[in-house]
Amino acid sequence: MAFIDEYKTHIAQREELGVPPLPLSAEQTVALVEMIKAGQGDMSQNVDLLTNRVSPGVDDAAYVKAAFLNDVASEKISISAISAPQAIKMMGMMLGGYNVKPMVEALTSKNSEVVEAAKEALKHTLLVYDAFNDVEELYKAGNAAAVEVMNSWANAEWFTSKPSLPEAMTLTVFKVAGETNTDDLSPASEAFTRSDIPLHANSMLVAKMDDPINTIKKLKEKGHPIAYVGDVVGTGSSRKSGVNSVQWHMGEDIEGVPNKRTGGVVLGGIIAPIFFATCEDSGALPLELDVANMEMGDVVTIYPYKGEAHKDGKCIATFKLNPNTIVDEVRAGGRIPLIIGRGLTAKARGVLGLGATDIFLSAEQPADSGKGYTLAQKMVGRACSMAGVRPNMYVEPITSTVGSQDTTGPMTRDEVVELAALGFSADLVMQSFCHTAAYPKPSDVIMHHTLPEFISKRSGVALRPGDGVIHSWLNRMVLPDTVGTGADSHTRFPIGISFPGGSGIVAFAAVTGSMPLTMPESVLVRFSGELQPGITLRDLVNAIPYQAIKEGLLTVEKKDKKNIFNGRILEIEGLPNLKAEQAFELSDASAERSAAACTVLLNEEPVIEYLKSNVVLLESMIEAGYEDKRTLKRRIDKMNEWLANPTLMKPDADAEYAAIINIDLNQIKEPILACPNDPDDVATLSEVLASNRPTKIDEVFVGSCMTNIGHYRALGEVLRGEGAVPARLWVCPPTKMDEKQLTEEGYYAIFGGSGARTEIPGCSLCMGNQARVADNAIVFSTSTRNFDNRLGKGAQVYLGSAELAAVCAMLGRLPSAAEYNEIVPKKIAGKEAKIYKYLNFNLIKDYKL
């Protein structure tokens, strides 16, 4: 009974927070099972706890639950509160994993009621994996129950038994005007609560509006489901936690799955592509349409099939369901269960000798234009065993490289558990701890100790706290011209191509080795000319939106916003000899353009150089005890195989693009920076100084995945001999390898002399969940994005190069273009080859991590 008393105390504590209790742990489930066996306490309450408060899949508690229920179902033990058929029914709510084998065995039970319950449970279980073969054997042996299950799977009863998307949906509008980014929906400062969905959902929009949670509660009093509505929705990171929060407040409970919901409707003038896809994966209905005539509290009716939104009996907006299969996705409970279920149905139909089914909608496939393919289209094509993939074609490419970082890692773990997966099929899965290593909370420390084993046991590769940023490591694992994904919007490979996604799609890709993709169009950015003195790659990053604004392809204003890059692939040409580390600076920033992915066309020489270095790094990881060794060795072998015959794909000359943006390097003669607080709001240094924007700089941050070792050498050279700087300076290299090399070269002595605060390698200020700048500070940063309150409360943040950051730190203000051009070229003159030299581990004698 001690368990119940403790659990009641826990319930009361959680009620004070306005959230349900946590799912039962394995230890609590053991205690509960013993109470049920002994007939202690309120049996109705105990059975309800076992049914609804234990996480499904391959959670440790699920193992305990399934083992107990199997004993009941097989009649090894007799429990008055749970009959054998009821035990099977309870197992049928566990999605898959430890419950499947007992249910399959129950098909041969002598108890007809148990057999009947097992049939019904298995008909609606999708995550059967290898147990399908056991059902097939029973089917071939003539087991009548197995025959019925196989036919049910073949006829997709798991799908047809679910309600279809209704013809009309009456909804109450919860509108957040302007832009909602994922920091608003899932604040970085609360990242440690993300896997606790109800608790994390309490922080949704708290920095954006007054009392959002109670506003939602009051709107629910109108008696209709709530729709999340915004002009621009979901920009920023690939956080499934943002969708989780929306669904927690506006979705529906899932039977047998504690503390998680599905469903919900999101209406946006623009919905960021990663957020849109994460809604699809989670069973929500995202619709892009004009929301100008919707206001907070309005009651609207959405007609999904007609593509109309009505208010007060009048049509106020039209839309098209996109993709056309989204109605099936919603019905199935999400794109991921739909894909798994369709695969199960196809497999069963193969066993029965049946042709393809017409139960599911087929993805609309574009006509072949007969034109050539872009670089991205060829890369995805190869991953699909095709010559190329046309825009808007639905495919499921092989995902060779998958990344997970620590503020989404616990959610990815939970998704893997729900997928009932005990191993990864993706060739390489990597987990980092770059977002929490510097200032870990107690929950982070627990994660640091437990998550690595979870990943490595499934053949993944776990980095260590303090190793550095996921992207700086994962990029070194990538094979040329391959496809990958990661649960961080900055998973943008400098070689190959990545389509970042939320933790759900990352778990799916890791487990199955493929991912769903409706191929986006591409926008070509073509550079020409010569890089001018003092101009950096970060200036070219900002030159892309700068030129797009000039051409009317991008607007800063959120209402009726134009963004040619949104949801498209950004393909970059004209800089073929960039080092891979430099190329990543360009591909990384495609996240801030809301692009779905990015490619950079490089010559073979820099890629060869990069892979030779990376082979040595991976070898040193094995020597240093990183796991899984077999995965690392397999990737080394594949890198060496490519190096033995190095060839890279190139776009066809007649490839088609949604737009082509030409940028002349000869015309970029001064720094270009992003202004507070919008990465799209770019201007030249002179234009900034001519405006009414602030010019005094309080703090300077040099760090984030946007940086490489060359930036820190440049920072050091500009600061050399200048003494303590007036601005508060933060320095945080991306990896421990950079830190070690910079220390050996004496740059940390310069940073110390300038008064800099040096952070352990990782994300630092860029993430916004660790150290923070002072409230209302004016900041110059090399970080990825500058959304409101990200680096600090009320902070106004400029984004630009490390070279300009050094000058800002030295002067305590933005310099004029003339000052910058006087200081930087002089400071680095004659040292360029030394400064912009990258980490080639193969050239370091006896290199060790």
Side-chain angles (χ1 to χ4, degrees):
M1 296 296 286
F3 156 67
I4 288 295
D5 292 336
E6 291 173 3
Y7 195 65
K8 285 180 178 178
T9 300
H10 172 68
I11 290 173
Q13 292 170 341
R14 298 278 288 186
E15 281 179 347
E16 290 182 8
L17 300 171
V19 296
L22 291 168
L24 298 181
S25 67
E27 293 77 11
Q28 290 173 321
T29 306
V30 168
L32 178 62
V33 165
E34 291 305 315
M35 288 179 61
I36 294 173
K37 285 180 178 179
Q40 296 176 342
D42 183 336
M43 280 299 105
S44 176
Q45 173 187 270
N46 291 347
V47 172
D48 180 69
L49 285 175
L50 188 64
T51 304
N52 295 305
R53 301 309 305 170
V54 177
S55 294
V58 291
D59 183 271
D60 289 345
Y63 179 84
V64 175
K65 176 179 175 178
F68 167 63
L69 292 175
N70 182 37
D71 285 346
V72 176
S74 60
E75 299 179 305
K76 290 179 182 177
I77 60 174
S78 178
I79 302 294
S80 60
I82 305 173
S83 67
Q86 186 182 357
I88 292 289
K89 183 178 179 182
M90 290 168 68
M91 278 195 281
M93 298 164 61
M94 295 176 67
L95 302 183
Y98 301 123
N99 62 322
V100 176
K101 188 173 185 290
M103 292 193 298
V104 173
E105 290 175 347
L107 294 176
T108 61
S109 172
K110 294 179 180 178
N111 185 329
S112 61
E113 292 183 2
V114 168
V115 173
E116 192 63 31
K119 283 192 309 187
E120 291 308 307
L122 282 168
K123 286 176 183 179
H124 303 282
T125 299
L126 304 183
L127 302 173
V128 295
Y129 298 119
D130 290 343
F132 180 92
N133 301 325
D134 299 327
V135 177
E136 183 181 0
E137 283 185 16
L138 290 173
Y139 161 80
K140 289 178 178 177
N143 179 284
V147 170
E148 192 172 328
V149 170
M150 192 66 72
N151 276 280
S152 175
W153 284 342
N155 294 324
E157 288 181 11
W158 62 267
F159 178 75
T160 58
S161 62
K162 296 176 182 288
S164 58
L165 189 67
E167 296 285 340
M169 307 168 71
T170 300
L171 308 163
T172 300
V173 169
F174 175 82
K175 186 172 184 180
V176 183
E179 178 180 29
T180 310
N181 61 58
T182 47
D183 270 0
D184 299 321
L185 297 172
S186 172
S189 59
E190 302 301 314
F192 65 100
T193 67
R194 282 179 183 158
S195 61
D196 185 350
I197 294 172
L199 183 60
H200 189 68
N202 279 344
S203 65
M204 186 178 86
L205 298 170
V206 292
K208 184 81 170 177
M209 61 185 294
D210 293 331
D211 203 11
I213 309 307
N214 279 323
T215 299
I216 293 170
K217 289 178 180 177
K218 289 177 183 177
L219 291 176
K220 286 183 178 179
E221 293 174 3
K222 295 193 176 189
H224 308 296
I226 307 295
Y228 191 100
V229 181
D231 297 306
V232 181
V233 181
T235 54
S237 302
S238 53
R239 295 180 193 163
K240 190 172 190 289
S241 51
V243 173
N244 283 342
S245 293
V246 172
Q247 286 188 309
W248 182 255
H249 293 300
M250 303 175 192
E252 308 161 354
D253 289 331
I254 308 171
E255 187 180 31
V257 182
N259 295 12
K260 188 174 183 180
R261 289 176 177 156
T262 187
V265 177
V266 177
L267 309 176
I270 292 177
I271 303 177
I274 297 176
F275 192 84
F276 191 104
T278 305
C279 286
E280 289 184 81
D281 297 333
S282 307
L285 176 63
L287 299 172
E288 286 191 319
L289 72 168
D290 184 356
V291 298
N293 292 316
M294 297 183 192
E295 300 298 337
M296 183 76 82
D298 284 350
V299 175
V300 299
T301 301
I302 303 296
Y303 296 91
Y305 303 98
K306 288 170 60 178
E308 294 180 359
H310 288 216
K311 184 174 78 172
D312 299 330
K314 296 180 180 178
C315 181
I316 58 171
T318 59
F319 59 89
K320 181 183 178 183
L321 286 173
N322 181 40
N324 67 300
T325 53
I326 200 165
V327 294
D328 280 2
E329 294 170 2
V330 173
R331 186 177 189 180
R335 181 169 59 166
I336 289 173
L338 177 63
I339 293 169
I340 293 170
R342 282 190 318 213
L344 178 63
T345 292
K347 200 170 181 180
R349 294 181 75 82
V351 169
L352 298 176
L354 302 174
T357 180
D358 59 0
I359 292 172
F360 308 109
L361 290 171
S362 297
E364 293 177 352
Q365 301 288 33
D368 194 333
S369 65
K371 297 288 187 178
Y373 294 107
T374 73
L375 179 57
Q377 291 162 7
K378 286 188 172 183
M379 289 179 180
V380 176
R382 175 178 286 180
C384 300
S385 299
M386 301 165 63
V389 172
R390 298 293 179 196
N392 300 312
M393 182 180 288
Y394 176 80
V395 290
E396 294 177 11
I398 292 170
T399 46
S400 301
T401 309
V402 179
S404 172
Q405 48 93 346
D406 39 338
T407 57
T408 57
M411 292 190 297
T412 300
R413 175 198 60 207
D414 293 347
E415 301 278 358
V416 170
V417 166
E418 284 191 19
L419 287 170
L422 296 172
F424 295 139
S425 294
D427 192 60
L428 186 143
V429 179
M430 174 169 276
Q431 174 67 49
S432 79
F433 298 93
C434 48
H435 293 69
T436 60
Y439 307 95
K441 295 178 173 64
S443 58
D444 296 328
V445 175
I446 294 171
M447 174 187 60
H448 294 170
H449 288 291
T450 58
L451 190 54
E453 183 182 9
F454 179 91
I455 296 295
S456 60
K457 280 177 65 175
R458 287 164 172 77
S459 77
V461 178
L463 295 177
R464 299 164 183 171
D467 278 353
V469 179
I470 176 68
H471 315 295
S472 302
W473 281 85
L474 190 67
N475 290 346
R476 289 186 172 276
M477 309 292 137
V478 175
L479 296 167
D481 294 337
T482 57
V483 176
T485 188
D488 186 300
S489 58
H490 295 104
T491 310
R492 312 273 171 151
F493 301 155
I495 58 176
I497 188 168
S498 170
F499 296 88
S503 54
I505 199 63
V506 168
F508 180 80
V511 169
T512 67
S514 65
M515 67 181 293
L517 176 68
T518 300
M519 187 68 182
E521 291 181 293
S522 290
V523 173
L524 175 63
V525 171
R526 184 187 290 126
F527 288 96
S528 62
E530 299 294 328
L531 199 65
Q532 300 300 295
I535 300 305
T536 68
L537 274 173
R538 188 57 180 262
D539 298 316
L540 303 194
V541 164
N542 290 328
I544 294 173
Y546 189 79
Q547 185 65 30
I549 290 171
K550 274 187 175 182
E551 296 183 18
L553 301 174
L554 175 68
T555 58
V556 176
E557 176 64 35
K558 303 305 175 186
K559 190 171 183 180
D560 300 322
K561 183 178 177 69
K562 292 181 182 179
N563 183 357
I564 191 66
F565 308 105
N566 184 66
R568 294 187 169 98
I569 300 170
L570 175 53
E571 305 207 34
I572 298 172
E573 295 181 8
L575 301 166
N577 295 315
L578 290 179
K579 305 296 186 183
E581 293 94 328
Q582 294 175 306
F584 179 58
E585 197 171 348
L586 289 168
S587 63
D588 191 1
S590 65
E592 274 52 71
R593 308 283 76 80
S594 290
C598 182
T599 65
V600 183
L601 183 63
L602 296 177
N603 286 336
E604 290 171 5
E605 288 75 12
V607 179
I608 292 170
E609 178 184 340
Y610 195 49
L611 260 66
K612 284 182 177 179
S613 174
N614 297 341
V615 165
V616 172
L617 177 64
L618 268 67
E619 289 172 342
S620 69
M621 291 176 71
I622 293 174
E623 188 177 345
Y626 284 79
E627 293 290 352
D628 177 82
K629 291 183 176 64
R630 291 168 302 174
T631 297
L632 291 168
K633 180 64 168 62
R634 184 171 62 244
R635 185 51 56 101
I636 290 169
D637 291 343
K638 290 185 178 181
M639 287 182 173
N640 282 327
E641 183 181 339
W642 185 87
L643 286 167
N645 182 28
T647 56
L648 292 173
M649 291 180 164
K650 297 188 183 300
D652 293 325
D654 61 342
E656 295 180 303
Y657 301 90
I660 298 176
I661 299 173
N662 291 297
I663 299 175
D664 184 356
L665 298 176
N666 297 318
Q667 300 303 311
I668 304 173
K669 298 181 179 178
E670 61 175 295
I672 303 173
L673 51 160
C675 303
N677 269 345
D678 185 344
D680 283 345
D681 187 7
V682 291
T684 65
L685 190 52
S686 296
E687 289 168 343
V688 172
L689 295 177
S691 68
N692 59 359
R693 296 183 174 96
T695 58
K696 180 179 179 292
I697 299 296
D698 301 310
E699 305 197 33
V700 173
F701 172 61
V702 180
S704 86
C705 58
M706 286 288 286
T707 62
N708 57 58
I709 195 168
H711 298 128
Y712 297 89
R713 293 195 189 103
L715 171 69
E717 293 301 334
V718 174
L719 296 179
R720 188 185 292 276
E722 299 295 334
V725 298
R728 187 186 192 196
L729 175 60
W730 304 70
V731 176
C732 182
T735 72
K736 67 179 182 181
M737 296 85 79
D738 297 292
E739 180 186 53
K740 180 181 179 182
Q741 188 66 27
L742 290 165
T743 301
E744 290 180 357
E745 293 177 7
Y747 283 102
Y748 265 68
I750 299 174
F751 302 152
S754 69
R757 172 172 171 169
T758 54
E759 299 257 296
I760 71 168
C763 297
S764 186
L765 290 178
C766 183
M767 177 60 185
N769 68 324
Q770 302 274 282
R772 309 271 282 171
V773 300
D775 291 356
N776 303 311
I778 311 300
V779 184
F780 190 94
S781 175
T782 63
S783 54
T784 55
R785 50 178 61 120
N786 58 347
F787 296 149
D788 289 341
N789 305 308
R790 185 177 176 90
L791 271 66
K793 186 177 179 181
Q796 296 186 63
V797 182
Y798 291 97
L799 300 177
S801 69
E803 291 81 353
L804 181 53
V807 179
C808 289
M810 193 170 74
L811 300 179
R813 58 175 173 80
L814 291 175
S816 66
E819 286 175 311
Y820 173 85
N821 286 323
E822 172 65 22
I823 295 169
V824 172
K826 185 182 295 184
K827 286 276 191 174
I828 67 174
K831 305 175 186 176
E832 291 87 350
K834 173 192 169 188
I835 291 171
Y836 303 109
K837 181 177 68 174
Y838 299 92
L839 284 176
N840 289 331
F841 301 110
N842 56 311
L843 300 181
I844 301 174
K845 186 178 180 182
D846 300 323
Y847 179 76
K848 294 183 186 300
L849 268 174

